[in-house]
Amino acid sequence: MKRIDSSSHTVSWLLSGLLIASSLLLGRSPSAAGQQPARAKTMAPQVRSQMLVTTDWLAQHLNDPKVVLLHIARESAHYEAGHIPGARFVAWSDLVATRNGVANELPPVEQLQKLFERLGVGDEARIVLYGDATGLSAARAYFTLDYLGHGDRAALLDGGLEKWKAEKRPLATEAPEIKPARFTVRLNPQVIVGLEVMRDLSWMAAQSDRPEVALIDSRPPHDYAGSPALEGRPRTGHIPGSVNLYWMQHLQSRENPQLLPVAELRKLYEAVGARPGQKVVTYCNTGVQASHGYFVAKYLGYDVAMYDGSFSEWGKAEGTPVATSKERK
């Protein structure tokens, strides 16, 4: 299970879950049980526009000392072949760890703190992220920074390196000089949901046609429906009560990985039942694809968390049910 440094997060989730479950069983509306008023839930959440920067904006701030640009990739060759001038290389392996047989988990906080200090990120600079894997690596880096309490000053480069290259903007092959900087951790554990909380959320979502928490599976539809079992993955299918919204649907295309316009993104989330004011929890196989779902849901203004252990942990755990149809239940 994911390491969480504060037990209060899990307790608050459980208390909230019990409150919602009690209201459903008693036939009371969630608002009567102390939830957000229905009037507020009819309003679309405000877009967090600061989470995204354009290539034009970045081109104007390449020499800004208050901007730190990070290039995240699985291989250094991706960086060395040509990166945006001034970008600092972040190895994927420094952002993830394997825990209890589950890959791509968050490393210890102290390790992440030292990483960002070594990169010279500091406590004040605007952090801009891009990388390989059509934006997945950058989204995972954003989730990591949000967990460490610095998501409010981090943003993804819309369209990533692909758009930068398509616009024939300058590239560099040399690495910039980096001065280490103090990086203060302000842990934000509520962005993570653990296995036991996910059990409760799954049960409640599967029992209701209008669940209070939208569980979003960010994997391709065939994984959600139950693809053939792979080595080390004894069960296939999805977590009961979850809905499928493949993360690639957020993008214009694989070749042009810009996000869709806000109105179109909202329609995607509304189509799978994510209502204004509703809590959103994303998951996938190991918390990578779900990072993109996490980013976009937060960008759209939702209150969002991620089940980082995802189906890799769920499928191996004892007593966890699995659904294999194309439907939520």
Side-chain angles (χ1 to χ4, degrees):
M1 187 189 300
K2 176 67 57 193
R3 170 182 170 179
I4 300 179
D5 295 70
S6 173
S7 60
S8 62
H9 163 57
T10 302
V11 171
S12 64
W13 264 94
L14 287 172
L15 289 175
S16 176
L18 289 172
L19 184 60
I20 294 168
S22 297
S23 68
L24 292 172
L25 290 172
L26 293 172
R28 298 164 59 199
S29 67
S31 60
Q35 301 302 302
Q36 189 174 2
R39 182 177 61 84
K41 290 192 175 185
T42 63
M43 300 174 59
Q46 186 174 358
V47 173
R48 297 180 173 101
S49 57
Q50 73 276 10
M51 291 174 58
L52 208 62
V53 300
T54 65
T55 50
D56 285 339
W57 184 93
L58 181 58
Q60 296 170 19
H61 290 82
L62 281 183
N63 297 316
D64 188 339
K66 295 182 180 180
V67 174
V68 172
L69 182 59
L70 301 182
H71 179 130
I72 304 96
R74 285 156 178 77
E75 302 292 339
S76 60
H78 188 271
Y79 174 81
E80 294 162 356
H83 54 268
I84 298 174
R88 307 168 190 191
F89 176 66
V90 184
W92 174 258
S93 58
D94 287 336
L95 287 176
V96 296
T98 298
R99 185 175 298 109
N100 298 326
V102 179
N104 300 322
E105 298 287 272
L106 285 165
V109 170
E110 298 78 10
Q111 180 178 322
L112 290 170
Q113 181 180 27
K114 290 178 181 178
L115 168 66
F116 289 112
E117 287 186 337
R118 187 171 71 248
L119 290 167
V121 172
D123 284 337
E124 298 180 359
R126 183 91 160 99
I127 309 166
V128 178
L129 309 163
Y130 78 93
D132 65 2
T134 326
L136 277 184
S137 296
R140 179 66 193 199
Y142 177 88
F143 169 75
T144 303
L145 285 163
D146 208 16
Y147 171 67
L148 297 174
H150 292 267
D152 59 344
R153 60 192 183 96
L156 261 60
L157 174 63
D158 194 17
L161 185 61
E162 293 89 341
K163 188 171 189 293
W164 186 271
K165 287 182 175 180
E167 294 169 345
K168 301 188 183 306
R169 296 184 187 270
L171 295 172
T173 54
E174 69 279 0
E177 292 186 10
I178 299 175
K179 294 182 179 180
R182 180 178 178 81
F183 182 86
T184 304
V185 172
R186 308 180 184 97
L187 211 59
N188 190 18
Q190 63 266 29
V191 305
I192 296 175
V193 169
L195 174 62
E196 295 309 315
V197 173
M198 196 65 176
R199 288 181 195 265
D200 292 336
L201 296 178
S202 170
W203 181 86
M204 288 186 288
Q207 303 304 310
S208 174
D209 291 331
R210 285 176 61 83
E212 286 299 306
V213 178
L215 306 182
I216 295 182
D217 186 321
S218 299
R219 300 174 299 168
H222 65 268
D223 282 344
Y224 177 81
S227 57
L230 301 176
E231 183 179 354
R233 199 179 299 170
R235 295 190 289 169
T236 63
H238 60 269
I239 296 174
S242 67
V243 292
N244 187 213
L245 179 51
Y246 182 30
W247 73 273
M248 281 290 295
Q249 291 179 256
H250 298 145
L251 308 178
Q252 300 279 357
S253 68
R254 188 176 293 275
E255 295 72 27
N256 176 22
Q258 279 186 277
L259 289 184
L260 295 174
V262 168
E264 293 184 37
L265 291 172
R266 285 202 191 283
K267 287 180 181 178
L268 287 176
Y269 279 77
E270 290 169 359
V272 297
R275 305 185 305 278
Q278 191 178 29
K279 181 84 177 184
V280 171
V281 176
T282 65
Y283 77 93
C284 56
N285 283 323
T286 61
V288 179
Q289 297 172 91
S291 296
H292 208 277
Y294 175 92
F295 177 85
V296 172
K298 183 165 184 177
Y299 171 67
L300 291 176
Y302 288 100
D303 179 12
V304 60
M306 187 169 75
Y307 173 34
D308 200 16
S310 284
F311 200 81
S312 181
E313 180 182 54
W314 184 273
K316 296 175 183 178
E318 293 184 6
T320 50
V322 170
T324 56
S325 71
K326 295 181 180 180
E327 304 299 326
R328 180 169 65 90
K329 292 185 179 180

